């Protein structure tokens, strides 16, 4: 069975999220470096085929809270430190996706599929 265009577009979105998350997980992070890391994530993932837009909103409030608890100067990037939205276009199908915390887990989801 050949995947539909919508299925392929959703697959592409999954590839982009997997790449974004696993490429940057563990990167040293501070409130001062958060915005530049967010821009680097956006620019890196936008290079991939079919990726139209990536918006990374760094949660510096969460970074500061963690650093205060640890009494440290930096921490490591994990999904709890960013809200992410991504738009993928494949053969006339647009997929809108997002990542946000669901309890303790960074949940990546398909928000809409538009033909």
């Amino acid at each position: 069975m050949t995947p539909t265009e919508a299925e392929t577009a959703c697959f592409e979105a999954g590839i982009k999220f997997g790449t974004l998350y696993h490429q940057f997980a563990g990167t040293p992070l501070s409130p001062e470096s958060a915005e530049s890391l967010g821009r680097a994530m956006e620019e890196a993932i936008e290079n991939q085929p079919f990726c139209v837009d990536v918006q990374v909103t760094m949660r510096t409030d969460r970074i500061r809270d963690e650093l205060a608890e640890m009494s440290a100067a930096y921490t490591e990037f994990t999904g709890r430190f960013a809200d992410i939205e991504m738009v993928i276009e494949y053969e006339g199908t647009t997929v809108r996706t997002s990542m946000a915390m669901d309890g303790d887990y960074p949940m990546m989801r398909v928000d809409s599929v538009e033909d």
Side-chain angles (χ1 to χ4, degrees):
M1 179 173 142
T2 303
T4 65
E5 289 175 2
E7 290 168 332
T8 301
C10 288
F11 174 80
E12 287 293 335
I15 294 295
K16 276 47 165 179
F17 260 123
T19 300
L20 185 149
Y21 193 86
H22 294 291
Q23 178 177 348
F24 291 99
T27 301
L29 179 65
S30 70
E32 295 76 26
S33 68
E35 294 305 317
S36 64
L37 179 61
R39 284 190 307 278
M41 292 173 162
E42 292 169 350
E43 291 175 10
I45 301 308
E46 286 174 349
N47 285 321
Q48 293 188 29
F50 315 115
C51 189
V52 175
D53 186 46
V54 179
Q55 297 294 316
V56 176
T57 303
M58 298 302 287
R59 297 295 306 266
T60 54
D61 57 330
R62 293 179 182 167
I63 298 166
R64 282 189 181 90
D65 289 347
E66 179 160 313
L67 294 177
E69 289 176 23
M70 297 171 36
S71 297
Y74 75 96
T75 188
E76 296 178 353
F77 176 78
T78 70
R80 70 184 176 277
F81 297 132
D83 294 327
I84 301 170
E85 296 178 353
M86 196 177 316
V87 178
I88 305 302
E89 289 183 358
Y90 178 82
E91 299 293 325
T93 299
T94 301
V95 176
R96 296 180 188 283
T97 63
S98 62
M99 182 188 84
M101 294 303 290
D102 185 359
D104 290 335
Y105 188 79
M107 183 64 71
M108 300 165 199
R109 58 178 46 103
V110 172
D111 296 320
S112 68
V113 179
E114 304 155 10
D115 291 318

